[in-house]
Amino acid sequence: MILLENVSYAIESRELISGASLRIGQGEFAALAGENGAGKSTLLKLIMGLIKPTRGDILIQGASTRDRKVSALARTVGYLFQNPDRQLFGATIRQELSFGLDFLGVSKSDAESRVEETLGWLKLDPDRAPLSLSRGERQRVALASLFVRRPSLLLLDEPTTGLDYRECMQMMNTVARLNREDGVTVLMITHDMEIALDFAPRMLTLSGGRIIADGSTRELMRDEAMLKRASLIPAQMVALARRLGLAPGEADDADSLAEWVASSVKGGAQRAGHT
Amino acid sequence: MEPIILLEDVSFSYEGASGRALDGVRLSITPGEFVGVIGPAGAGKTTLAHALSGVTPHVRRGDFYGAARVAGLDTVSSSVAELSKTVGCVFQDIESQFVTTMVEDEILFALENFSVPRDEIPSRVDRALNDLDIADLRLRSISTLSGGQKQKVALAAALALAPSVLVLDEATGELDPASSVQVFELLTQLQRERGATIIVIEQKIMLLCAYAERLLVMDQGRVVIDGSVRRALEQPDRLLALGVNCPRVTTLAARLREKGLYHGAPPVSLDEAEAMVREALA
């Protein structure tokens, strides 16, 4: 789905991305983390074709972003900005969702059914003005307006920043459903390591414009030297499991850690009973 | 001790809005407290921050009822300029706060406008830049920075003034985890060394629990929980019903309690959680 071959990007003499190589398959869900200014948003903009690499090449579904217009890429790639207000302009939610389907050559009846289906899971009054909604609701409308175009790839730039817990879970559950049921590939920038652990099986870490780690989120969460280099802090339960000497994946959430404690206590009591 | 912030039955409705953004808020905060504020979207958290800084009702207009005093100033009869000498603020929408185009100028602007003695200014700019690890951005144009870097500049400008009261409204949202911790460390330093009063509106519950001493939970314009962080964490179901998640270490404590393996107060940090588990295993 996404292939980066030794990609670099520089503005004047400053190199923002250096020698990034990466392969993400259809249907994957990967988190992209790293310190402020590491180049995360720049990498996403490169993949979206909004900016072109200074060196190297980026292929989306086999085609180079150099040869394709952003409007052509937008047929397969949806980009959710950090600030949803940068992409909302419709007078109503329904208009927001319908906009653009005409240009994509979607028939009127297909467009209507897509909008209705999307409104079904969005669960917001279609006649409301997007800008009158809460930040979390606006973020979900922005996501819905991308999804209605049926992208194969979603690029999400910190989709949960500024959201309260409930909005955050609604947002992430929606993304997870699109990934699971519709096979949409997701690449998501996040600083929230709990969210990365809960939703993204794969994590990429960027530091100083370089990809310094790429692998299983659970395993990378235990690489403290790497995390420190990228100004990251491991998810709380992973850090606790590591301190307690548990193997990766043995108990990385509150429920399984509580089970582990209970069975350890029980085992200890049984052993004490035998002696 | 005389409160530095005193809100007496403060209610506020934005111009043209039907409901109340703040609804009978009573709040007394003594100098040097570190208070965390959390709650769902639309709970009134930002309006509270605006009420403390005078933005409400002077800039964001509407109907203001009750009385609010901050550092001895009535927020309705005092101007925002007067209040800003005591109350430093960093708001969620940082783009709207920048008044200059270069990082160094942004920090200088605040210091020069608050009549900080000329010979003190260079060292305060240096310290603010170093404290937030952005010395390398000193001569950069703000428009070329990432979202997180911009937040650091806004925080540096506010911290350089060392205000008596500092209000942060979700001002670390775009920071990487290590930088967020660094900001909370700096706030603690400001509180301890200068006796500053810190009010932090934040969705990062783990950081609030680790650093704040007192937690306010807001819902529908009201303060519905006001007490020590630990006291608030003893009601995880109520918090969840209010759209507030507990730190994972607190969830673990609740699970262990359900299994009869833990009976103490909820932990707020990783160290405390480790001690809790080791105690349960012993």
Side-chain angles (χ1 to χ4, degrees):
Chain A
M1 181 78 217
I2 306 175
L3 184 66
L4 270 73
E5 291 172 327
N6 202 22
V7 168
S8 296
Y9 176 74
I11 296 181
E12 293 164 2
S13 57
R14 270 186 321 122
E15 198 161 69
L16 303 182
I17 296 291
S18 305
S21 292
L22 173 67
R23 179 188 290 268
I24 295 179
Q26 179 70 46
E28 280 200 71
F29 193 144
L32 176 59
E35 78 267 4
N36 292 126
K40 303 180 296 294
S41 297
T42 304
L43 190 66
L44 242 54
K45 284 175 191 157
L46 281 163
I47 295 171
M48 181 70 212
L50 294 171
I51 48 179
K52 308 292 179 192
T54 317
R55 281 201 315 273
D57 208 3
I58 299 174
L59 306 179
I60 304 295
Q61 290 182 322
S64 169
T65 58
R66 287 181 192 282
D67 310 329
R68 294 173 77 187
K69 285 186 179 169
V70 176
S71 54
L73 273 162
R75 287 173 185 268
T76 45
V77 188
Y79 190 114
L80 186 70
F81 287 87
Q82 219 167 59
N83 182 351
D85 299 342
R86 293 196 175 155
Q87 59 198 107
L88 294 173
F89 46 82
T92 65
I93 294 175
R94 189 186 296 279
Q95 273 185 21
E96 189 69 50
L97 299 186
S98 311
F99 182 86
L101 290 177
D102 268 0
F103 299 111
L104 293 176
V106 178
S107 72
K108 200 173 173 200
S109 63
D110 189 15
E112 275 171 12
S113 74
R114 284 192 199 186
V115 169
E116 284 311 315
E117 185 220 323
T118 308
L119 285 169
W121 59 255
L122 193 59
K123 294 192 172 64
L124 291 169
D125 176 357
D127 296 324
R128 280 188 70 180
L131 294 177
S132 74
L133 304 169
S134 77
R135 164 98 187 217
E137 288 167 340
R138 297 202 302 276
Q139 190 78 287
R140 286 202 304 131
V141 171
L143 177 71
S145 72
L146 298 177
F147 180 68
V148 82
R149 290 193 253 141
R150 300 283 187 268
S152 327
L153 168 64
L154 276 177
L155 302 172
L156 312 175
D157 194 346
E158 294 192 42
T160 61
T161 296
L163 307 193
D164 67 36
Y165 176 66
R166 234 181 316 219
E167 290 178 327
C168 175
M169 284 301 112
Q170 278 176 337
M171 180 76 195
M172 288 314 303
N173 287 330
T174 305
V175 174
R177 192 175 57 76
L178 298 180
N179 170 253
R180 194 177 54 241
E181 293 176 13
D182 299 287
V184 176
T185 309
V186 180
L187 180 58
M188 171 183 76
I189 295 178
T190 185
H191 286 306
D192 190 326
M193 294 295 99
E194 307 292 344
I195 284 182
L197 185 69
D198 288 347
F199 291 93
R202 178 175 172 188
M203 186 161 89
L204 301 154
T205 310
L206 204 60
S207 181
R210 293 180 183 279
I211 295 174
I212 61 164
D214 177 2
S216 142
T217 308
R218 282 180 192 283
E219 282 171 24
L220 293 185
M221 284 283 173
R222 285 176 165 249
D223 187 345
E224 288 199 356
M226 182 279 293
L227 293 177
K228 195 170 177 195
R229 196 175 148 200
S231 294
L232 300 173
I233 291 171
Q236 242 181 1
M237 289 299 102
V238 176
L240 183 57
R242 188 170 181 270
R243 283 184 181 201
L244 295 167
L246 298 178
E250 196 175 342
D252 285 342
D253 58 66
D255 288 339
S256 53
L257 252 172
E259 284 301 325
W260 175 81
V261 173
S263 63
S264 302
V265 168
K266 202 171 156 191
Q270 278 173 352
R271 278 194 298 279
H274 287 301
T275 53
Chain B
M1 199 187 288
E2 190 79 3
I4 192 159
I5 293 170
L6 186 64
L7 269 60
E8 292 175 304
D9 277 324
V10 169
S11 294
F12 183 76
S13 309
Y14 286 102
E15 225 167 42
S18 53
R20 286 181 165 185
L22 292 179
D23 188 6
V25 173
R26 291 174 185 205
L27 188 59
S28 172
I29 294 174
T30 50
E33 275 195 86
F34 193 137
V35 183
V37 183
I38 198 164
K45 305 184 296 296
T46 294
T47 311
L48 177 70
H50 286 172
L52 298 178
S53 58
V55 170
T56 292
H58 297 289
V59 182
R60 298 295 312 272
R61 292 177 184 278
D63 296 324
F64 188 100
Y65 305 97
R69 291 186 75 76
V70 179
L73 296 170
D74 183 296
T75 62
V76 177
S77 58
S78 308
S79 67
V80 175
E82 272 177 282
L83 282 160
S84 65
K85 287 177 186 157
T86 314
V87 188
C89 295
V90 183
F91 294 118
Q92 201 173 9
D93 180 13
I94 40 164
E95 303 271 356
S96 62
Q97 283 179 72
F98 293 127
V99 286
T100 68
T101 54
M102 206 215 288
V103 171
E104 184 182 50
D105 290 348
E106 189 64 28
I107 300 166
L108 275 172
F109 179 86
L111 293 168
E112 285 171 353
N113 275 277
F114 282 85
S115 309
V116 171
R118 197 156 274 282
D119 56 339
E120 261 185 48
I121 290 180
S123 64
R124 282 173 75 165
V125 172
D126 288 346
R127 185 172 172 186
L129 290 168
N130 288 330
D131 277 350
L132 285 144
D133 281 339
I134 50 170
D136 57 327
L137 304 180
R138 186 177 198 129
L139 301 176
R140 285 270 297 274
S141 160
I142 293 173
S143 65
T144 66
L145 303 180
S146 75
Q149 287 171 327
K150 284 179 185 167
Q151 270 189 332
K152 286 186 177 185
V153 174
L155 285 160
L159 286 167
L161 292 170
S164 313
V165 177
L166 185 57
V167 182
L168 303 189
D169 182 8
E170 299 197 23
T172 70
E174 293 177 32
L175 297 190
D176 59 55
S179 301
S180 299
V181 168
Q182 192 182 1
V183 168
F184 273 77
E185 290 286 341
L186 289 169
L187 296 176
T188 306
Q189 201 180 331
L190 191 65
Q191 177 205 21
R192 290 198 183 136
E193 289 176 6
R194 293 177 174 264
T197 307
I198 313 286
I199 318 283
V200 185
I201 297 168
E202 184 60 78
Q203 294 295 344
K204 294 172 182 165
I205 185 78
M206 279 187 255
L207 282 174
L208 282 187
C209 291
Y211 288 91
E213 295 142 354
R214 178 175 168 189
L215 192 67
L216 306 179
V217 183
M218 294 190 70
D219 188 38
Q220 297 181 6
R222 293 169 176 270
V223 175
V224 292
I225 295 179
D226 178 1
S228 74
V229 167
R230 257 177 242 282
R231 190 91 187 265
L233 292 177
E234 279 167 3
Q235 318 169 59
D237 293 340
R238 186 164 177 226
L239 287 176
L240 206 56
L242 290 164
V244 175
N245 192 25
C246 284
R248 306 287 166 115
V249 290
T250 313
T251 310
L252 176 62
R255 298 287 174 273
L256 292 177
R257 191 172 292 117
E258 284 161 16
K259 294 175 187 296
L261 295 167
Y262 183 66
H263 308 285
V268 294
S269 66
L270 208 52
D271 288 341
E272 289 183 16
E274 186 181 354
M276 169 184 75
V277 172
R278 296 207 184 277
E279 188 190 316
L281 291 170

